[in-house]
Amino acid sequence: GAGVSQSPRYKVAKRGQDVALRCDPISGHVSLFWYQQALGQGPEFLTYFQNEAQLDKSGLPSDRFFAERPEGSVSTLKIQRTQQEDSAVYLCASSLVELSNTEAFFGQGTRLTVV
Amino acid sequence: DAKTTQPNSMESNEEEPVHLPCNHSTISGTDYIHWYRQLPSQGPEYVIHGLTSNVNNRMASLAIAEDRKSSTLILHRATLRDAAVYYCILRDRSADGLTFGKGTHLIIQP
């Protein structure tokens, strides 16, 4: 596809369940980002990959959150033992090169609801 | 990333120009000024960015103050589809992700 694709679009998880969210970035894009967006708030940075290397994971809220991008393209954000406060929209973005002087392309997000 | 300040919301009429202000008094010399917008139930969408000079593209114009401590996003002729939250973001070369604030909720009246 032409844009960043995320799946699933919606996920309902029972508290304590593990979830995996997938991001397909634009082909050839080096940089990949994950964000968390709570209702009514701006997106908050979680983690950043340059190719397969995770260069920054300072935004991950706890050790229950884990992200990978093993072959430098598709990325997966995994949340273990989900809790209600994990309910949010999870956004993935990619850019062709490092970001200061170029644009990031965002997917439509995955809305996670923990019940 | 340095902090930006934007009004919480603004209202405009359809087919009129809209000027969205952003203050960034602590901007550094290497910070780029980026604007993104987020339509309801969508991911953020790039609008425009600049460093020192004013910039124009098919979506909008970016006017940057001479001292770079403020900037204005200009939508020349707003349509109902421009109703969104607009984020002004400073981006340093050394930073990784974009740091979003709360943005300005733009309401367009028909």
Side-chain angles (χ1 to χ4, degrees):
Chain A
V4 176
S5 178
Q6 292 187 247
S7 60
R9 282 296 312 277
Y10 304 93
K11 176 70 178 177
V12 178
K14 291 185 178 178
R15 193 171 49 156
Q17 188 178 353
D18 296 349
V19 297
L21 312 180
R22 178 186 169 105
C23 173
D24 281 87
I26 294 173
S27 178
H29 277 198
V30 168
S31 298
L32 185 145
F33 309 85
W34 283 99
Y35 288 83
Q36 181 190 59
Q37 186 170 24
L39 193 62
Q41 303 296 315
E44 297 221 357
F45 171 80
L46 293 177
T47 187
Y48 162 59
F49 289 86
Q50 186 170 313
N51 296 307
E52 69 278 4
Q54 189 174 19
L55 299 187
D56 187 346
K57 52 183 181 179
S58 62
L60 296 176
S62 77
D63 59 7
R64 296 186 296 104
F65 287 71
F66 171 75
E68 60 183 6
R69 194 187 184 197
E71 296 177 2
S73 57
V74 171
S75 178
T76 304
L77 177 67
K78 297 179 180 178
I79 309 173
Q80 296 177 323
R81 304 181 303 282
T82 52
Q83 299 177 8
Q84 284 193 315
E85 61 260 32
D86 300 334
S87 295
V89 175
Y90 291 85
L91 294 161
C92 176
S94 71
S95 67
L96 186 58
V97 292
E98 68 88 20
L99 198 49
S100 67
N101 190 23
T102 189
E103 62 185 283
F105 296 83
F106 283 81
Q108 289 192 301
T110 294
R111 181 179 296 278
L112 173 65
T113 303
V114 181
V115 297
Chain B
D1 291 323
K3 184 179 170 61
T4 63
T5 304
Q6 299 177 253
N8 289 333
S9 66
M10 290 185 63
E11 201 166 310
S12 183
N13 295 319
E14 200 176 7
E15 298 187 6
E16 290 186 356
V18 179
H19 291 234
L20 295 164
C22 181
N23 288 319
H24 28 78
S25 58
T26 59
I27 191 170
S28 73
T30 55
D31 283 337
Y32 282 83
I33 302 162
H34 288 247
W35 283 82
Y36 281 75
R37 73 179 185 180
Q38 189 171 22
L39 280 65
S41 300
Q42 301 290 320
E45 173 189 31
Y46 168 83
V47 178
I48 200 166
H49 78 281
L51 184 62
T52 56
S53 303
N54 295 343
V55 185
N56 299 295
N57 67 20
R58 63 175 181 79
M59 288 182 72
S61 295
L62 177 59
I64 301 173
E66 198 170 330
D67 63 5
R68 301 210 324 129
K69 293 186 177 182
S70 65
S71 61
T72 302
L73 180 71
I74 302 165
L75 307 179
H76 295 286
R77 193 164 166 270
T79 70
L80 295 177
R81 289 182 297 177
D82 292 320
V85 178
Y86 286 77
Y87 297 98
C88 169
I89 300 165
L90 300 184
R91 188 75 177 80
D92 181 80
R93 284 183 185 277
S94 63
D96 297 327
L98 298 160
T99 302
F100 290 82
K102 292 190 176 180
T104 296
H105 184 199
L106 177 63
I107 299 163
I108 305 295
Q109 297 288 355

